[in-house]
Amino acid sequence: MAERKIKFFKTFEEQEEYHLDWMRNSTPKERFIALYKMQQFTNALHKQRSDKRTIIIHHGYSRP
């Protein structure tokens, strides 16, 4: 596992340049691993209740 570290930036432009440089120098596998970690973090914060959807009909009109 790669060493984790905190990086401080003085401007948003400096942060953007750092990220773009990382993207240019990383492999597709490293980018997919980073994407997977972001998805896992997002899923941990926003648990899905269910994959089921219910349609309720009121007065002849359907609503999702």
Side-chain angles (χ1 to χ4, degrees):
M1 187 164 138
E3 180 183 332
R4 294 178 63 175
K5 55 186 169 184
I6 297 174
K7 179 101 172 118
F8 292 97
F9 302 100
K10 294 179 182 174
T11 64
F12 288 114
E13 291 80 14
E14 184 181 342
Q15 177 187 5
E16 184 69 17
E17 185 59 37
Y18 177 83
H19 179 71
L20 291 173
D21 188 48
W22 179 83
M23 292 291 286
R24 279 186 224 107
N25 296 322
S26 63
T27 65
K29 183 178 179 179
E30 290 171 329
R31 292 192 294 270
F32 276 116
I33 290 170
L35 174 63
Y36 178 75
K37 288 179 182 179
M38 286 187 285
Q39 289 174 334
Q40 295 302 311
F41 183 71
T42 300
N43 288 339
L45 293 177
H46 305 286
K47 294 280 185 190
Q48 296 295 324
R49 293 183 196 155
S50 169
D51 289 337
K52 297 180 183 177
R53 294 181 183 242
T54 305
I55 297 175
I56 302 171
I57 300 175
H58 293 280
H59 308 291
Y61 297 99
S62 62
R63 291 176 45 192

